[in-house]
Amino acid sequence: MEKVTSADGTAIAFDRLGTGPAVVLVCGGSVDRMSNAPLAALLAEHFTVYNYDRRGRGDSGDAKVYAVEREFEDLDAIFAAAGGSACLYGTSSGAALALLATASGRPVERLALWEPPYILEGGRPRPPANTADIFRDFVAAGRRDAAAEYFMAEIVGLPPEFVAMAKASPWWPAQEAIAHTLAYDATVMGDYSVPVDAVRRVKVPTQVLTGGASWPWMVEGNQAVVAGLADGSHRTLDGQEHNVDPAVMARALKEFFGGAR
């Protein structure tokens, strides 16, 4: 594990694996960099992979006040460690963060997005506009368990039996430990509509990947992102749900990022 310092002084932890062109991995909501560790290990056969903990998670530090721009600056520090630029991969709400960071002019060479959870008008109901405040209020009241449960049940839409199983699982304390970052991802997602202006500002080659067994609303939202990109493509990974197989994703990213040796 290594660390870099973001512009506001926050320490950002990352693992550096492999050799070759630089690839940075951005995790989604309710997880830390360990969620991307299997993918990082596979990509390391062809790339130098930078798998980092977003602020507030794992081995990274945090600040008292959150802003999406601070996460852009965290990526700046990772890009600097990678030599100045890199290919960028984000998953779920981390894909939304990767898209926004690229739109803001960060030094991204190629951008790959796995199922950013944008919801079109008329699709599934969007989360409440004050979702970030809901998470912050739970955490401020010492109810981290309620924040994690709300995320699973109300935002992701997992069935009650799964949520009950999760709360009894050995990994539930880890969910509570990073429950404060759920507000961060809700801030990144905004109202969960496609950020049309940001999409238009992305000029680098971009591939949006969607699972063949994913929810229809997810497919529709992802296709809407592709339609607004200057240099975008869509790829379906047959048989995959939101919890994608790392081996399947590694093959797709190797092809798109072009790092095979």
Side-chain angles (χ1 to χ4, degrees):
M1 184 190 72
E2 303 176 54
K3 288 188 177 181
V4 290
T5 303
S6 192
D8 70 346
T10 300
I12 302 299
F14 67 97
D15 295 322
R16 187 194 320 242
L17 302 85
T19 58
V23 172
V24 175
L25 307 183
V26 185
C27 68
S30 81
V31 294
D32 59 21
R33 77 183 191 278
M34 291 300 102
S35 65
N36 275 331
L39 174 62
L42 292 168
L43 290 175
E45 298 176 11
H46 307 282
F47 305 92
T48 303
V49 183
Y50 297 80
N51 184 26
Y52 79 104
D53 272 328
R54 290 170 58 190
R55 60 176 50 214
R57 313 165 197 237
D59 295 302
S60 286
D62 204 357
K64 290 183 179 180
V65 179
Y66 177 79
V68 177
E69 289 76 12
R70 301 294 81 75
E71 294 221 59
F72 296 168
E73 293 165 356
D74 299 344
L75 277 167
D76 287 341
I78 296 294
F79 286 136
S85 65
C87 293
L88 185 62
Y89 165 78
T91 176
S92 195
S93 54
L97 175 61
L99 187 152
L100 294 175
T102 305
S104 73
R106 265 55 197 188
V108 177
E109 297 172 8
R110 282 178 169 251
L111 176 65
L113 308 175
W114 171 247
E115 295 199 335
Y118 297 122
I119 304 171
L120 299 186
E121 195 70 37
R124 63 165 286 190
R126 290 174 178 160
N130 65 334
T131 296
D133 289 332
I134 292 172
F135 287 132
R136 280 191 285 265
D137 290 345
F138 277 137
V139 172
R143 300 182 61 201
R144 287 175 170 267
D145 59 333
E149 183 175 353
Y150 185 86
F151 174 75
M152 288 187 177
E154 304 299 330
I155 305 303
V156 182
L158 296 172
E161 56 270 21
F162 179 91
V163 177
M165 179 276 293
K167 293 176 68 176
S169 298
W171 46 264
W172 185 253
Q175 291 289 294
E176 294 187 11
I178 59 173
H180 60 287
T181 67
L182 295 171
Y184 302 175
D185 285 274
T187 302
V188 168
M189 292 307 305
D191 65 358
Y192 281 77
S193 64
V194 175
V196 176
D197 289 342
V199 171
R200 288 174 179 162
R201 293 197 302 273
V202 173
K203 304 303 182 184
V204 302
T206 300
Q207 186 166 88
V208 182
L209 302 108
T210 308
S214 192
W215 302 287
W217 64 266
M218 183 80 78
V219 176
E220 294 167 357
N222 283 198
Q223 289 174 338
V225 171
V226 176
L229 289 166
D231 186 2
S233 62
H234 181 259
R235 178 168 180 175
T236 299
L237 300 185
D238 292 340
Q240 295 300 305
E241 299 178 340
H242 195 58
N243 189 21
V244 64
D245 183 335
V248 173
M249 181 57 71
R251 287 193 294 271
L253 293 180
K254 184 180 72 173
E255 293 175 14
F256 181 62
F257 291 154
R261 293 192 301 229

